[in-house]
Amino acid sequence: MALLEMRGIKKHFGGVEALKGVDFVLEAGEIQALVGENGAGKSTLMKVLSGVFQPDGGQMLLAGNPLRPRSVAEAQQAGIVMVYQELNLVSDLSVAENLFLGRLPPLMGYTRLNQEAQALLGQMGLEFPPEASVRQLSTGEQQLVAVARAFVQRAKVMVFDEPTATLSANEVEQLFRLIRRLRSEGVGVAYISHRLEEIFLLADRVTVLRDGERVSMAPLSELTPERVVNLMVGREVRAYQRQPHGSEGELGRFQVEAAGLAPLGLTLNKGEIVGLAGVIGSGRSEVLRAMFGLVGSASWRGTRLSGPLTALRQGIFYIPADRKTQGLVLELSARENVTLSVLSRLQWLGVMKAAQEQQLVKGWFRRLSVRPSDPERPARTFSGGNQQKLVLAKGLATTPQVLLMEEPSRGVDVVTRYELYALLDELARGGLSLLVSSSDTEELSGLCDRVLVFRGGRVVVQLEAPLDREEVVAHVTGARRVA
Ligand SMILES: Nc1ncnc2c1ncn2[C@@H]1O[C@H](COP(=O)(O)OP(=O)(O)OP(=O)(O)O)[C@@H](O)[C@H]1O
Ligand SMILES: [Mg+2]
C-alpha cells in the first residue's frame, strides 16, 4: 500500500482547469520530484494535498485511510507538512519555540526546551542557537528551521515547493541532507523544482505534469534531463547557446559605494551583458541595489543616483529577486502591474490612452509568452514563473538603457528560461546594457559577455567570454584564488 494516493484530482479556477484529474502516488521513504512548465499545476496539486484548496473531484488516501483536509491545520494534524517560500514561522519567537510550537510537552521549562532544541539542531547539523529569535536568521536559515520542525511534528508526507530559490549553496547542501534524512526515516517527500540538476541529485522518481495532466511517472534511473524536458513540453527542446557579439563602445560608468563594499567603478558598454557572481552576502546584490539608488551612494555618468526616481530618469531599471514583496502588487491586475512604472509616460500625452496601454501590455505578454494570456487577471492568480515574467514586462515596458536584474530566471521553467535568455540577447543586440546578478553559474556562463566575481564585498576577478562554468564556480567558492 502506498503512503499517499491522490487519484483523479480536479481543480478549476473560474474558466481555468488547473488540474484535470491528476494521479499522484508517493511511497514511504521516497523522494518524488514534481516537475512541469510554469502553470502546469504543481503548486495547485500540492495545495490540494495540504488543505489550502478544496478539490472539485478525486480522492486521496493516506496510509489507506481517506484524506480530505479542509484546512492547513487539518492536513498537518494528519501528518502532511508543506514548506512554502513564504514561511509559516513566528518571527518573534525563538528557534526553539518555533521548533516545538504546539507540541510543547507540559511543564517543560526554557532550559529543557533549549536543550532539546539544541540536540535536535545538532543532530541535523544546524548551527544556530536555539534562543535566537527567528527574525534574526536569514531566509535560508528560517527555511531550515521550518524543515527541522517537520521532525518534531512527525510528518508523514513533506512537500517542498521550490525550496532552494532563496538559499545559498551551503544552505542547499544542508537542506538536501535534511531531506535525505527525512527519507531514511520513512517520510514521503514531494519535491517541486525547476532546477533539473537538483532533481537528478535528489529524487527517486519523477512525476511530470503538463497542462493540468500527469504525462509521466518514472524512476529517475530511466530518465535523462533532456527526456524530462521533452516530457514537460511535449516536444524536442534544445539547450540555449548564446553567440556573444562585439561591443558597441562605452555607454557610461558607474561609481558605487555602500556599506560592506569596497568602492567599485564599472564601465558599461552598450549592448553588453555583464554577470555578477558570488555567494549570498558577497556584495553582488548590494551593488545592484546601490546602482538603483536604494542603498549606499552611487553615480552613473557623473550623476548622483540619490534614489530610484533619479535612477529611472537616467534610464536605469531594477528587477529585484523577490517578486512577491518587491516586484508586484499582487491584488492589482497584471496589466496594472506592467504599466505601473510607465504610467507617467503614458499619461504625459494627456489622458491615459487605454488602447495604447492595452497594446503595450499585450505586446509584452506575447513576447514573454505569459500564460494565461489575459492581462486583466489579478497578479496573484498567476503561477510563480508567470509572475516573474510580469515583473520583467514591467521593467522592459519602461524601455530602459540599463537593466539591473537579480536572479532573472528564478522560478522560471527550463523552456521559458531559454526563451528569456534569447530575449535578453535580443535586447542586448538592440543596445540595452544588462547587469545580471545570479547564483546560477550556468546561467551566468551561458548568457554573459563577462562576469565579475564577488567575494567579501569586492570583485576578486573578472572573467571574459567564452566563459567556462567550472572556472566561474571555482572563483565563486574560493577554490581558486587570484594572485
Ligand atoms: N488562486 C488562484 N486563482 C486563480 N487561478 C489560479 C490560482 N492559483 C493558480 N491558478 C492557475 O492555475 C494554474 C496552475 O497554477 P500553479 O500555480 O499550480 O502552476 P505551477 O505548476 O505551480 O507553476 P510555476 O512553476 O510557475 O509555479 C495556472 O493557470 C494558474 O494561473
Ligand atoms: Mg508553483
Side-chain angles (χ1 to χ4, degrees), residues 238-259:
R238 287 205 301 160
Y240 176 78
Q241 196 51 57
R242 178 167 180 254
Q243 303 296 328
H245 47 99
S247 144
E248 304 164 47
E250 194 179 313
L251 180 66
R253 186 172 171 79
F254 277 107
Q255 284 300 143
V256 180
E257 280 179 43

Side-chain angles (χ1 to χ4, degrees), residues 292 312 316-320 322-330 332-343 345 360-361 364-365 368 370 379 386-400 403 405:
F292 196 53
L312 282 170
I316 302 169
F317 196 88
Y318 170 68
I319 297 183
D322 188 351
R323 59 185 173 254
K324 284 241 165 76
T325 62
Q326 297 165 19
L328 293 175
V329 186
L330 290 172
L332 292 185
S333 73
R335 172 180 53 78
E336 288 166 307
N337 268 287
V338 172
T339 51
L340 217 50
S341 48
V342 279
L343 272 185
R345 200 185 61 192
L360 176 90
V361 175
W364 284 114
F365 262 58
L368 298 170
V370 180
N386 282 293
Q387 287 182 2
Q388 180 70 357
K389 295 186 210 169
L390 295 181
V391 180
L392 243 180
K394 180 178 154 190
L396 294 173
T398 66
T399 51
L403 189 58
M405 304 178 88

Side-chain angles (χ1 to χ4, degrees), residues 195 284 321 388 405-410 437-440 443:
R195 299 187 180 166
R284 63 176 163 89
Q388 180 70 357
M405 304 178 88
E406 187 100 51
E407 307 287 353
S409 66
R410 173 176 293 173
S437 162
S438 175
S439 50
D440 185 340
E443 170 162 290

Side-chain angles (χ1 to χ4, degrees), residues 116-268:
E116 297 267 322
Q118 180 88 63
L120 182 73
L121 292 169
Q123 273 175 27
M124 291 184 303
L126 302 177
E127 278 169 6
F128 22 84
E131 327 69 68
S133 88
V134 159
R135 183 191 305 289
Q136 296 166 303
L137 305 180
S138 75
T139 326
E141 288 169 337
Q142 292 185 17
Q143 202 146 20
L144 293 170
V145 173
V147 180
R149 195 168 56 171
F151 287 91
V152 181
Q153 291 174 327
R154 303 197 185 287
K156 296 189 181 84
V157 174
M158 264 208 90
V159 179
F160 294 87
D161 194 347
E162 297 183 51
T164 58
T166 49
L167 301 190
S168 68
N170 185 22
E171 288 165 344
V172 171
E173 264 173 45
Q174 281 183 310
L175 176 72
F176 283 11
R177 226 180 297 132
L178 286 185
I179 292 179
R180 292 197 180 101
R181 175 120 185 224
L182 286 164
R183 169 173 64 187
S184 70
E185 299 199 351
V187 176
V189 177
Y191 187 89
I192 300 177
S193 176
H194 288 296
R195 299 187 180 166
L196 293 180
E197 236 177 43
E198 293 179 357
I199 284 157
F200 278 80
L201 271 175
L202 206 57
D204 302 306
R205 292 195 293 179
V206 180
T207 284
V208 183
L209 294 188
R210 191 198 308 155
D211 286 334
E213 287 176 282
R214 182 174 85 170
V215 291
S216 158
M217 205 268 276
L220 189 78
S221 54
E222 291 173 13
L223 296 167
T224 61
E226 293 73 31
R227 178 81 189 124
V228 173
V229 175
N230 291 349
L231 287 166
M232 277 168 51
V233 196
R235 59 184 158 83
E236 294 277 328
V237 178
R238 287 205 301 160
Y240 176 78
Q241 196 51 57
R242 178 167 180 254
Q243 303 296 328
H245 47 99
S247 144
E248 304 164 47
E250 194 179 313
L251 180 66
R253 186 172 171 79
F254 277 107
Q255 284 300 143
V256 180
E257 280 179 43
L261 270 188
L264 174 75
L266 175 66
T267 303
L268 201 55

Side-chain angles (χ1 to χ4, degrees), residues 343-353 356:
L343 272 185
S344 56
R345 200 185 61 192
L346 292 173
Q347 272 166 342
W348 195 62
L349 307 163
V351 207
M352 157 85 104
K353 299 218 171 96
Q356 194 190 350

